[in-house]
Amino acid sequence: MEVRRVSSELCWPHPGHMEPEHKCPWEGACFARGAAVGEGPVLQRATQISTVPFVDESSGSDDDCSSQASFRTSVPCSESRKTSGLGSPRAIKRGVSMSSLSSEGDYAIPPDACSLDSDYSEPEHKLQRTSSYSTEGLGLGGESLEKSGYLLKMGSRVKTWKRRWFVLRQGQIMYYKSPSDVIRKPQGQVELNSRCQIVRGEGAQTFQLISEKKTYYLTADSPSLLEEWIRVLQSLLKVQAIGPLALPQGGIKPTVKGWLTKVKHGHSKLVWCALVGRTFYYYRSHEDKRPLGHLPVRDARIEEVDRSCDSDEDYEAGGTRQLLSSHCTLVIHPREHSPTYLLIGTKHEKDTWLYHLTVAAGGSSARVGTAYEQLIGKLMDGEGDPDSPLWRHPMLCYSKDGLYTSLTTLPSEALQTEALKLFKSCQLFINVPVEAASVDYHVSLAQTALQVCLVHPELQSEIYCQLMKQTSCRPPQKYSLMQCWQLLALCAPLFLPQHHFLWYIKQQLQRHADPTNETGQYATYCQRAVERTLQVGEREARPSRMEVVSILLRNPFHHSLPFSIPVHFANGTYQVVGFDGSSTVDEFLQRLNQETGMRKSSHSGFALFTDDPSGRDLEHCLQGSIKICDAISKWEQALKELHSGKAEGGTRVVKLMYKNRLYFRSQVKGETERERLLLASQTSGEIVAGRFPVNKELALEMAALMAQVEYGDLERPTPPGPGSTPPAKLQHHLQQVLDRFYPRRYRHGAPPEQLRHLADLLTTKWTALQGCSPPECIRIYLTVARKWPFFGAKLFAAQPAQLSSKENALVWIAVNEDGVSILDHSTMHVHVTYPYSSVMTFGGCRDDFMLVIRSILDQSSGKGHTEKLLFRMAAPKIAEATFIMASYMNHCSPTVNPPTNPPAARQLRELDRQQLFASVPCAARGPTLL
């Protein structure tokens, strides 16, 4: 089943990743998990927003309902392994059986051993083991923390023993029907942490695994296997209690990464490796978050192993001649640790790993890397002496000659070719003067070059070195030197170079910074931008046209916030807000709230939205952690792809809107005057659109209140006589008010006489408000509107899936802080309300929106059942409803006391659920994730 992806963050389609039909990644399946089975009526957090689809039937076994809480999946990374160049069948075998982890296909003769241990030289096609260990993931004493094998498990519903294949890996224990099912979703899984316990049972081969949510009764095939399982589980829990395995710090990108064959103690394994800071991490897969292990590189000895003297007999002994003879070998020898060897496929990769490992180890980089890198290493060895003649070395300075090779060590010939193309693009940008009328030429060059660097992070240090070489000792010209600094100013907020390159860039910026001349001012701005990027992190998207034009045509040195954009409100006003290349949405909203006199967004419930690039009536909420410049750039890219070759792609700009998204009754007390005004304006929009229940009389009074707020007292030139027609200007004024504030459904199809009568009534009610101040009108407006129990809720029009399209019986799905309610579409009366504590899973199921509800336990039988409700909705609305539900669930902590007075919606009558969802089967086991 093909599922269109929906991200929880803002994302517009990119080339090569266009979505089917509407080509917008928001229009896909997304779902989340509510309260787990058996957890009681306590409000739970929405634990995952995922892009994996629900299915109609569970693939789990009948003996366990905890499979509904299983949300992790392991996706084979065959494409990544294909690019490694190593012919190991490991990736294929892991997908078939966990017991084959120790087969000979995984191992080769390492440089520090002449033969393999017999444990690892069994024939590949052997009998199925009942248990197997992994040699990675060692505990405190060196024992393995990974294991797989058969155990008998007591069913949670039917109390019988069932044989299951258990896999302990990555701090989790998962179980399947058989070893061949490990490529599928597990029937269940348990997250092991320091609060779990292992208790021996009464039988000689039985033990209990007690987790936070339930107790598992397990039996091994023999007493020896029982002891093995208990030992490895207790070792893992001991490690968890002392502290988790060292993990890379979030936000720090790897210096270099790739597939390598790691060799230690005579055993080799193909692993995904990443050098992060001064630590070498290795993983089972490039998708794993938890490493198998790590090596401290600081002060380690990094060497290349000379294999020129190896004989053919050494290779032929293990049948691995092709592997070893065609691979380069590096050794990492940390202090007080045994050496680890790395088999690397190509010379370019070897040079890259050798250089970066040497730098991370603290060794002198003056003897490794390119000539440019060696000069930087010598400057570092001299602690950046400003009087050193190396600063003016021809290799580090501007030259009229072009580049014939990359300045930095790159892991492949293809990247070296890209580095030379990148240099040519930079030369075109620098040597063609910028003119306001033709600025799009430079915009396109800058965006293309920086997009290449974002796609290939290895080139990010390269472009910094190329630009710094162009600015160093360059004779002053009227535009070339300036445009070189401008391109560098565009790089600084996007990404930073690695390690000593960053040290070198900082030194050069310090040498060039000078507030008295324009080039020195750009260098000063680059200093500020580098520090901001170090503080808040790098960007995801290339600079937008607005960003490039602003840097090229306006000196950013004179502005602490060099960019600005208007933010629109529900009442038709806007506020211009400044930001820089690293500003996040949270920082942007903090400035907006300060300038408009509003509380922070977590208290007011307001959020920042963008319009849809396609022009459809859709809005997209921006998450607080993303960068404003990234959001604008992605919107701009999506617009260009949707209008390729059309003029509209270059004229429209993104529209930002600040609106209420989450409404909490407990936070009404602290509302500011501006918040109440915007909330009333937003409610007025809901009334006009027909998503708020008002009769004609009340709608007219509400429209008169908004007219008084918007236009003030009604000015009438002369009192009209009986039956006379109002002046044309006044009539036009009244028509504007009706169009803006009166429900469309009450005006649609009305004859002219009725509309004139409506205008007369509006005139009477508006005149009665003469002298009433806008704040007083807003207070009256909100007091009336808040009497509806679902004030502030988000309403979604939906059709119950069991009804045919001909019936077209629509309902409203209302989402607010109390839960999810089903309302009648015409009267907006409540059919049923589901509190979040009863919601098990929710979100997109194929093209429908699904709610899985846990009912109250039957006191007589002690059993409960689940109810699956399906609704037909537009795909973007499915995503919006899912994320709003998750936000409400995550905002309401279990420690917060529930409201003492339940809303009136819960006190209204409940229609028979079977009448509304007559053909929806009520299964005992709800749908689970693949």
Side-chain angles (χ1 to χ4, degrees), residues 363-422:
S364 175
S365 57
R367 297 188 300 274
V368 294
T370 64
Y372 192 91
E373 291 169 331
Q374 290 179 10
L375 286 171
I376 295 177
K378 292 177 181 178
L379 284 171
M380 293 184 69
D381 292 343
E383 299 182 354
D385 180 11
D387 299 325
S388 173
L390 293 177
W391 291 108
R392 306 187 69 84
H393 191 282
M395 177 60 69
L396 297 180
C397 294
Y398 164 76
S399 172
K400 292 183 179 180
D401 299 328
L403 289 183
Y404 300 102
T405 184
S406 63
L407 297 178
T408 60
T409 302
L410 297 173
S412 68
E413 290 185 11
L415 284 174
Q416 291 189 356
T417 302
E418 285 296 325
L420 298 182
K421 293 180 181 178
L422 189 64

Side-chain angles (χ1 to χ4, degrees), residues 367-599:
R367 297 188 300 274
V368 294
T370 64
Y372 192 91
E373 291 169 331
Q374 290 179 10
L375 286 171
I376 295 177
K378 292 177 181 178
L379 284 171
M380 293 184 69
D381 292 343
E383 299 182 354
D385 180 11
D387 299 325
S388 173
L390 293 177
W391 291 108
R392 306 187 69 84
H393 191 282
M395 177 60 69
L396 297 180
C397 294
Y398 164 76
S399 172
K400 292 183 179 180
D401 299 328
L403 289 183
Y404 300 102
T405 184
S406 63
L407 297 178
T408 60
T409 302
L410 297 173
S412 68
E413 290 185 11
L415 284 174
Q416 291 189 356
T417 302
E418 285 296 325
L420 298 182
K421 293 180 181 178
L422 189 64
F423 177 75
K424 293 179 181 179
S425 296
C426 293
Q427 289 295 101
L428 289 174
F429 184 94
I430 294 169
N431 294 322
V432 177
V434 173
E435 296 179 0
S438 58
V439 70
D440 284 333
Y441 173 78
H442 286 82
V443 170
S444 178
L445 283 173
Q447 289 180 334
T448 302
L450 296 176
Q451 180 65 36
V452 169
C453 294
L454 290 171
V455 174
H456 302 288
E458 300 89 347
L459 296 175
Q460 293 174 4
S461 297
E462 176 72 21
I463 192 172
Y464 269 100
C465 293
Q466 289 182 6
L467 293 176
M468 196 51 65
K469 179 178 173 65
Q470 294 296 307
T471 58
S472 298
C473 308
R474 188 186 185 108
Q477 293 179 345
K478 56 182 179 180
Y479 58 84
S480 295
L481 182 60
M482 178 66 58
Q483 290 174 196
C484 189
W485 279 107
Q486 288 173 338
L487 186 54
L488 197 60
L490 290 170
C491 290
L494 259 67
F495 47 75
L496 296 176
Q498 292 288 351
H499 289 309
H500 55 297
F501 294 120
L502 180 58
W503 174 88
Y504 176 69
I505 296 300
K506 285 184 173 182
Q507 294 290 322
Q508 287 282 31
L509 293 178
Q510 184 64 38
R511 290 169 60 88
H512 288 86
D514 184 1
T516 61
N517 61 77
E518 197 169 9
T519 58
Q521 291 172 354
Y522 269 96
T524 304
Y525 169 77
C526 289
Q527 281 184 308
R528 298 201 310 249
V530 166
E531 293 304 320
R532 280 283 287 158
T533 306
L534 286 171
Q535 177 187 359
V536 299
E538 300 181 347
R539 297 249 299 270
E540 297 177 357
R542 70 189 189 188
S544 64
R545 182 183 186 277
M546 177 210 70
E547 185 176 354
V548 178
V549 170
S550 180
I551 291 294
L552 294 180
L553 303 183
R554 188 174 67 167
N555 191 338
F557 170 79
H558 302 293
H559 311 274
S560 59
L561 301 174
F563 316 120
S564 60
I565 192 170
V567 178
H568 299 265
F569 302 110
N571 63 343
T573 61
Y574 66 90
Q575 176 73 40
V576 177
V577 184
F579 59 98
D580 62 19
S582 297
S583 294
T584 62
V585 170
D586 283 336
E587 294 172 335
F588 185 84
L589 291 182
Q590 184 178 1
R591 297 189 192 99
L592 175 62
N593 291 329
Q594 289 175 351
E595 294 173 6
T596 56
M598 299 176 66
R599 296 174 296 174

Side-chain angles (χ1 to χ4, degrees), residues 576-649:
V576 177
V577 184
F579 59 98
D580 62 19
S582 297
S583 294
T584 62
V585 170
D586 283 336
E587 294 172 335
F588 185 84
L589 291 182
Q590 184 178 1
R591 297 189 192 99
L592 175 62
N593 291 329
Q594 289 175 351
E595 294 173 6
T596 56
M598 299 176 66
R599 296 174 296 174
K600 60 182 181 180
S601 300
S602 59
H603 290 169
S604 67
F606 279 68
L608 191 65
F609 295 82
T610 71
D611 63 335
D612 192 85
S614 67
R616 290 176 296 170
D617 186 20
L618 295 175
E619 296 172 352
H620 308 287
C621 180
L622 300 182
Q623 302 298 316
S625 59
I626 71 170
K627 309 287 194 306
I628 284 289
C629 285
D630 280 342
I632 296 173
S633 176
K634 292 178 182 180
W635 189 96
E636 190 179 90
Q637 291 179 54
L639 180 66
K640 287 183 178 179
E641 292 164 5
L642 291 169
H643 302 280
S644 178
K646 298 181 181 179
E648 185 179 357

